[in-house]
Amino acid sequence: FSSKQWGKVTFPRNLAIAFSAFIGYLLFRAAISGSLWQGFVGTSDRNLGILTYLVFFLFTWIGFQLTESAKPKTFVHLLTLVGVGEASIANYQYFAGEKSAAITGTFYNSNPVSFLLGIIAASLFAFLVYEKKRSTAEYLILVFSQLWILIALYFCGSQQGLIIFGLIAVVLVITKLIRVLRVNFAKILFPTFVIALVTFSITVFAFPIKGNSQIANNAFLERLEIYKSALKLTIQYPFFGVGVDSFHEKYGQVTLTTLMQLADNAHSVPLHILSTLGFIGFALWLTIIFFVFNYGKSGVNEEQAEFKFFQIGFFSYLLIGIVGIEHPVIGAISWLMAGVLLKLSFLPSYLNSYLHIA
């Protein structure tokens, strides 16, 4: 890819404005809370402050810019390699370590391992389903990489990534067989995410917890209780939230039990944003998501393997994030994928010619 071939394709102005508005709101929220330092860096455990969101913006821009000088398949291979590396560590911990030990990978926690591997597994599956110009050796390597990642997903102990991968895999197979769904798939991604989030929130709100004493000993009830607490904080602080990455400061006031340790985050990317930044911050964040998918609408590219890899990767990040904990590294990788997706969306005719001759 050369800059001449891409022409004057620049980073989408509306998306840059949306990112800037979100960062500006974070600065405002940190200023009025009186805790600028925490606003910038976040808590020591999660680091979900302004700097982290600036990194997400930067990685989106980097992905967009680097696509001019690197083939999209290069990013596919690099991200697959990241997944294989993380899966190798997780599989080694399971097969060579003590059976009672947790599978924590490089994150020292099974949840982000499942989060990352779920994203890459779904992306790679989409690539394999839509790849047309198949080099036998390369394709077999990617298939074995997929299996290796799925093995790690199964054994890592956190099922969020595996469940979302399964759902996305079923949807990909169905849409692959039905052309009208296949060429319009990009148009339904944002509505699907919003519907999934609303459905999840209503379910969490309505699902009762009986016997508060059992929460601390039940992983499902523990997560449910934290989700409920996040919604309670949202109701109590609807406009501005409790403060940038300050979930832990107010969680103790709304939790149903005193038997659990204080949670440092909402264990859900959108609920964490909603409870800490309020509806204003959440609306700005959702606007960024909307612009990514809006610019990513391209019926021509819907059947290109590289495009599907990055499209499904970012979509998987959002879906798993509904029940997953935000992590700066995983977020940076996912927003990098969003940047590549955006660039591939602008010149479908050139992308097609590239794929036919590559």
Side-chain angles (χ1 to χ4, degrees):
F1 284 55
S2 69
S3 57
K4 290 183 179 180
Q5 289 169 315
W6 281 108
K8 295 182 179 179
V9 178
T10 58
F11 193 84
R13 179 179 296 180
N14 288 342
L15 185 58
I17 293 173
F19 264 118
S20 300
F22 182 67
I23 298 299
Y25 173 76
L26 291 178
L27 288 168
F28 165 77
R29 187 63 188 86
I32 65 174
S33 68
S35 54
L36 279 174
W37 178 251
Q38 179 169 307
F40 271 106
V41 301
T43 63
S44 58
D45 292 324
R46 298 297 171 189
N47 301 116
L48 298 179
I50 298 169
L51 290 179
T52 295
Y53 290 105
L54 280 171
V55 168
F56 291 172
F57 185 17
L58 177 63
F59 269 71
T60 306
W61 182 83
I62 289 174
F64 188 89
Q65 297 299 329
L66 287 183
T67 309
E68 290 190 3
S69 57
K71 296 179 181 179
K73 191 171 285 189
T74 301
F75 289 103
V76 172
H77 292 162
L78 287 175
L79 291 173
T80 299
L81 188 61
V82 169
V84 169
E86 187 64 35
S88 297
I89 295 172
N91 286 332
Y92 175 80
Q93 290 176 338
Y94 179 81
F95 291 107
E98 297 181 7
K99 295 301 180 183
S100 58
I103 310 302
T104 59
T106 58
F107 296 96
Y108 303 102
N109 189 309
S110 61
N111 289 321
V113 173
S114 179
F115 200 158
L116 176 64
L117 294 184
I119 292 171
I120 296 179
S123 300
L124 186 53
F125 183 81
F127 181 84
L128 292 172
V129 168
Y130 279 85
E131 176 68 331
K132 297 175 182 178
K133 294 181 67 63
R134 300 177 179 178
S135 165
T136 303
E138 177 190 10
Y139 197 77
L140 286 176
I141 291 173
L142 292 177
V143 169
F144 281 117
S145 298
Q146 177 84 83
L147 295 175
W148 187 243
I149 292 171
L150 289 177
I151 290 171
L153 262 178
Y154 180 79
F155 288 121
C156 75
S158 177
Q159 302 304 312
Q160 57 191 20
L162 188 61
I163 292 172
I164 297 300
F165 164 78
L167 292 174
I168 289 178
V170 170
V171 171
L172 281 171
V173 171
I174 293 174
T175 55
K176 175 68 174 178
L177 298 174
I178 304 175
R179 188 178 185 280
V180 66
L181 294 177
R182 187 167 67 247
V183 299
N184 292 286
F185 186 68
K187 298 176 182 178
I188 66 173
L189 291 181
F190 181 75
T192 299
F193 168 65
V194 173
I195 291 171
L197 178 57
V198 171
T199 302
F200 170 76
S201 301
I202 293 175
T203 302
V204 165
F205 188 80
F207 199 94
I209 294 181
K210 299 178 180 179
N212 295 345
S213 60
Q214 300 178 0
I215 294 176
N217 300 316
N218 185 301
F220 170 76
L221 292 179
E222 179 180 332
R223 278 291 186 101
L224 180 61
E225 192 280 330
I226 295 174
Y227 296 148
K228 282 181 171 291
S229 296
L231 291 176
K232 288 181 180 179
L233 289 177
T234 301
I235 294 173
Q236 291 185 14
Y237 303 88
F239 298 110
F240 301 107
V242 298
V244 181
D245 205 15
S246 299
F247 183 86
H248 64 290
E249 295 181 2
K250 301 294 183 180
Y251 170 74
Q253 300 177 9
V254 295
T255 180
L256 297 174
T257 177
T258 58
L259 299 178
M260 288 173 54
Q261 295 181 350
L262 289 180
D264 56 10
N265 69 95
H267 288 60
S268 164
V269 174
L271 290 189
H272 186 77
I273 292 175
L274 194 57
S275 59
T276 58
L277 301 179
F279 282 104
I280 295 176
F282 179 75
L284 292 171
W285 177 77
L286 202 62
T287 300
I288 296 172
I289 306 299
F290 169 77
F291 278 132
V292 170
F293 284 127
N294 188 57
Y295 284 116
K297 289 180 180 178
S298 179
V300 176
N301 286 337
E302 277 301 326
E303 300 188 47
Q304 306 298 349
E306 286 87 347
F307 184 84
K308 297 301 292 188
F309 181 92
F310 298 106
Q311 180 193 64
I312 294 300
F314 187 67
F315 183 59
S316 299
Y317 161 70
L318 295 175
L319 283 189
I320 300 175
I322 292 177
V323 294
I325 302 171
E326 180 72 276
H327 192 284
V329 173
I330 297 172
I333 291 173
S334 301
W335 284 100
L336 178 76
M337 298 174 85
V340 179
L341 171 66
L342 287 168
K343 193 56 167 284
L344 296 181
S345 302
F346 278 95
L347 293 172
S349 59
Y350 175 73
L351 179 60
N352 285 337
S353 63
Y354 156 73
L355 289 172
H356 284 306
I357 64 175

